[in-house]
């Protein structure tokens, strides 16, 4: 059996400052009620924060996105100070590992209880050979047009909700097609995001990523990568990307907090060039972040 991770329960985050908001508890014992709406309906939000030698990475951005997702789901605003403290406690307990992660969860709470459920759970990271080996990716439609956030906001596109069954189903479809991962596309022909990652392309000398207005998450890893690359003189741009432009990209990555930048070596069965040096530079810089 694998070693249990580190679990900190966050009590009643919706009520601000209870006497004892954080409680470290054994991670291999039950703590969540079976009536919790996060479990029975996937009604809640989450974040996964990378940790480098005990230092959470992009924590401010993750907390801001947790609050943004809570707003989109009309959950009471999470107490970000308490979630920050919980993340730091988990990170501290995992500080001996060079690389770990912490998942923050906020649910609507047990049915009828009028109190949210929150926790922070962390583990040591696995190795990520994909950073150097690259990944094979297929494009799959998400079934929505790129104006979904305004035409149908109740579909919650752009919120990091707990309802990730669809994202997992898309990954299984990719595996059935012999691939490792997915680039979602919109019905009107735009590139969106991966099921757990942000898409970055190099197009005409620019690093390009699609905008959140297309109904995607603001990626914290992509944002930091763009900042690091811009500081080194690279041109970066956020703009709508047509699916047809994927064929023109001379490099392509899926970026996320734990895997960091995974270079795409095959897209819909077609080989894509991998810029080994730039990928290693991006990953070294991302892994070295201390905040
Ligand atoms: N898009 C989706 C749907 C995700 O689930 C994630 C992360 O899990 C990302 C993008 C990338 O976000 P981040 O770089 O903050 O991990």
């Amino acid at each position: 059996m694998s070693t249990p991770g580190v679990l900190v329960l966050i009590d009643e985050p919706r009520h601000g400052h209870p006497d004892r908001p954080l409680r470290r508890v054994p991670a291999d014992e039950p703590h969540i009620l079976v009536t919790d709406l996060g479990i029975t309906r996937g009604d809640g939000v989450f974040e996964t924060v990378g940790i480098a030698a005990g230092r959470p990475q992009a924590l401010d951005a993750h907390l801001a996105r947790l609050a943004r997702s809570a707003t989109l789901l009309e959950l009471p605003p999470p107490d970000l100070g308490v979630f920050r403290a919980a993340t730091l406690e988990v990170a501290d307990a995992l500080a001996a590992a060079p690389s770990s992660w912490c998942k923050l969860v906020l649910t609507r709470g047990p049915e009828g209880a009028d109190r949210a459920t929150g926790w922070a759970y962390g583990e040591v990271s696995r190795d990520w050979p994909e950073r150097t080996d690259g990944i094979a990716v297929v494009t799959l439609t998400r079934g929505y047009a790129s104006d979904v956030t305004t035409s149908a906001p109740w579909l919650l596109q752009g919120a990091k909700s707990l309802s990730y069954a669809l994202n997992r189903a898309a990954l299984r479809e990719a595996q059935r097609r012999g691939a490792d991962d997915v680039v979602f596309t919109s019905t009107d022909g735009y590139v969106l995001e991966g099921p757990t990652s942000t898409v970055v392309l190099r197009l005409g000398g620019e690093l390009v990523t699609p905008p959140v207005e297309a109904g995607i998450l603001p990626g914290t890893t992509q944002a930091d990568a763009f900042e690091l690359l811009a500081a080194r003189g690279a041109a970066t741009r956020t703009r709508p990307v047509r699916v047809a432009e994927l064929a023109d990209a001379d490099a392509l990555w899926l970026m996320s907090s734990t895997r960091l930048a995974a270079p795409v070596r095959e897209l819909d069965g077609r080989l894509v060039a991998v810029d080994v040096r730039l990928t290693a530079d991006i990953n070294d810089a991302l892994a070295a972040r201390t905040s």
Side-chain angles (χ1 to χ4, degrees):
M1 205 180 106
S2 61
T3 331
V6 178
L7 176 61
V8 174
L9 296 182
I10 303 170
D11 282 332
E12 302 197 21
R14 78 162 63 178
H15 295 309
H17 299 277
D19 292 345
R20 214 175 146 219
L22 302 182
R23 225 162 14 107
R24 172 103 178 253
V25 294
D28 52 358
E29 289 176 9
H31 302 285
I32 309 300
L33 290 175
V34 294
T35 54
D36 196 289
L37 292 164
I39 291 166
T40 56
R41 294 192 184 142
D43 195 355
V45 297
F46 77 105
E47 282 296 319
T48 305
V49 183
I51 301 168
R55 311 270 307 248
Q57 300 183 301
L59 183 53
D60 288 344
H62 281 290
L63 292 173
R65 197 170 63 185
L66 186 77
R68 177 181 186 271
S69 298
T71 303
L72 287 168
L73 267 74
E74 298 170 78
L75 287 166
D79 185 326
L80 297 186
V82 175
F83 274 88
R84 177 186 299 278
T87 313
L88 291 173
E89 187 166 338
V90 170
D92 203 45
L94 295 168
S99 173
S100 52
W101 53 264
C102 176
K103 186 167 175 172
L104 302 173
V105 179
L106 172 71
T107 85
R108 208 174 292 277
E111 187 134 25
D114 190 31
R115 90 186 132 82
T117 302
W119 70 87
Y121 172 77
E123 270 182 29
V124 172
S125 291
R126 69 168 175 90
D127 290 335
W128 295 102
E130 300 93 318
R131 289 180 194 163
T132 43
D133 296 353
I135 50 175
V137 168
V138 288
T139 50
L140 293 180
T141 180
R142 193 171 240 174
Y144 305 136
S146 60
D147 69 351
V148 66
T149 55
T150 47
S151 62
W154 52 87
L155 293 177
L156 299 179
Q157 293 305 299
K160 199 166 166 64
S161 86
L162 289 171
S163 309
Y164 260 44
L166 293 179
N167 302 39
R168 305 313 292 181
L171 288 170
R172 288 194 298 276
E173 179 62 24
Q175 272 163 16
R176 271 192 291 278
R177 298 182 187 201
D180 309 300
D181 214 319
V182 173
V183 167
F184 281 127
T185 59
S186 67
T187 52
D188 51 345
Y190 288 96
V191 174
L192 298 176
E193 62 188 343
T196 62
S197 58
T198 308
V199 178
V200 173
L201 307 81
R202 189 171 58 199
L203 271 169
E206 265 184 349
L207 291 151
V208 178
T209 198
V212 293
E213 289 74 17
I216 63 174
L217 293 190
T220 66
T221 316
Q222 167 273 318
D224 280 352
F226 272 26
E227 203 177 303
L228 293 159
L229 288 161
R232 295 173 188 193
T236 61
R237 197 134 73 101
T238 302
R239 65 157 173 85
V241 178
R242 303 287 309 178
V243 175
E245 291 182 274
L246 287 171
D248 304 331
D250 58 20
L252 185 59
W253 297 267
L254 295 188
M255 297 194 182
S256 54
S257 294
T258 49
R259 192 173 60 184
L260 302 181
V264 175
R265 58 172 162 70
E266 199 183 302
L267 179 70
D268 290 332
R270 180 181 58 81
L271 291 182
V272 180
V274 170
D275 188 329
V276 174
R277 181 135 174 241
L278 180 59
T279 303
D281 279 355
I282 295 172
N283 277 324
D284 289 349
L286 288 171
R289 288 171 298 164
T290 54
S291 67

